Amino acid sequence: MSLPKSVLVTFALALVACVVYGQNQSQVSSSCMGCICEASSNCNTTLGCSTPYPGGYFCGAFLISFPYWTDAGKPVLQNDDPEKKGAFENCAIDLYCAAETLRRYMKKFSSNHNRADCNDDGVIDCVDFAYMHHLGGYGCNDPSIVTTDYYTKFQTCWNVVNGAQPSG
Ligand SMILES: *[C@@H]1O[C@H](CO)[C@@H](O)[C@H](O)[C@H]1NC(C)=O
Ligand SMILES: *[C@@H]1O[C@H](CO)[C@@H](O)[C@H](O)[C@H]1NC(C)=O
């Protein structure tokens, strides 16, 4: 049911990912980004910013927070100033800038293999990126994530991308 949009978004994100494409597992593939986008907001690319609970402020299809964007090194739209008010929102609601934010965030936190292997399976792959996106790179080792709506959506999308049978 989410396949057509996943494919479209995956295609769009390929524009971002192709710049950094390679068989480097510490980098985020376009299909991985597409599934994290699906999991975050059903990849609603017209989403603005919202405050779902006091102190929580998230923007764009990836539901990026200000601290997350800061950890990613504050990527901005062309000619924007990272220290200017609104630079965060402008980037997070732009699909390409948001994808770049995600890519930089994962690159930063993947450098520490032990910390980045969130599910302790010995490899750092898209599943770990999905954990880190939701739990943060400073402490992503929380198995209870698998019970969340976010993770269920991610897993469904990721299975489709990887050609798994719906029945398992
Ligand atoms: C993957 O990318 C990281 C960060 O850019 C780099 O440090 C690492 O050496 C690369 N690994 C491979 C196998 O190319
Ligand atoms: C996407 O988000 C916008 C803004 O919240 C909303 O109006 C719209 O209905 C959403 N689109 C979908 C497909 O959910």
Side-chain angles (χ1 to χ4, degrees):
M1 114 200 122
S2 61
L3 175 59
K5 193 152 56 122
S6 299
V7 170
L8 278 177
V9 168
T10 294
F11 190 72
L13 291 171
L15 284 169
V16 176
C18 72
V19 180
V20 294
Y21 220 165
Q23 299 307 317
N24 190 323
Q25 293 226 318
S26 75
Q27 292 172 352
V28 188
S29 70
S30 53
S31 53
C32 180
M33 280 195 200
C35 284
I36 292 175
C37 192
E38 283 285 325
S40 301
S41 69
N42 296 321
C43 215
N44 185 340
T45 56
T46 61
L47 214 56
C49 298
S50 62
T51 305
Y53 51 85
Y57 181 59
F58 304 94
C59 299
F62 287 100
L63 300 183
I64 290 174
S65 68
F66 186 84
Y68 184 107
W69 179 72
T70 302
D71 276 333
K74 299 186 175 180
V76 290
L77 298 181
Q78 205 168 6
N79 299 324
D80 207 347
D81 173 356
E83 303 309 326
K84 216 174 73 184
K85 192 165 159 49
F88 155 63
E89 286 87 350
N90 291 341
C91 176
I93 65 177
D94 176 87
L95 189 60
Y96 301 101
C97 197
E100 176 66 11
T101 304
L102 193 115
R103 191 182 71 77
R104 291 194 196 180
Y105 189 89
M106 299 311 165
K107 186 175 179 186
K108 171 179 173 161
F109 286 103
S110 294
S111 61
N112 180 332
H113 189 282
N114 289 334
R115 191 176 59 188
D117 184 10
C118 311
N119 61 352
D120 288 324
D121 69 349
V123 292
I124 297 168
D125 57 15
C126 185
V127 174
D128 300 299
F129 298 145
Y131 274 56
M132 280 190 257
H133 185 69
H134 195 66
L135 299 168
Y138 292 104
C140 64
N141 196 320
D142 180 358
S144 73
I145 190 176
V146 300
T147 65
T148 61
D149 192 41
Y150 165 87
Y151 194 79
T152 302
K153 283 184 192 169
F154 166 76
Q155 190 143 56
T156 302
C157 175
W158 194 232
N159 285 345
V160 169
V161 164
N162 288 296
Q165 296 300 314
S167 59

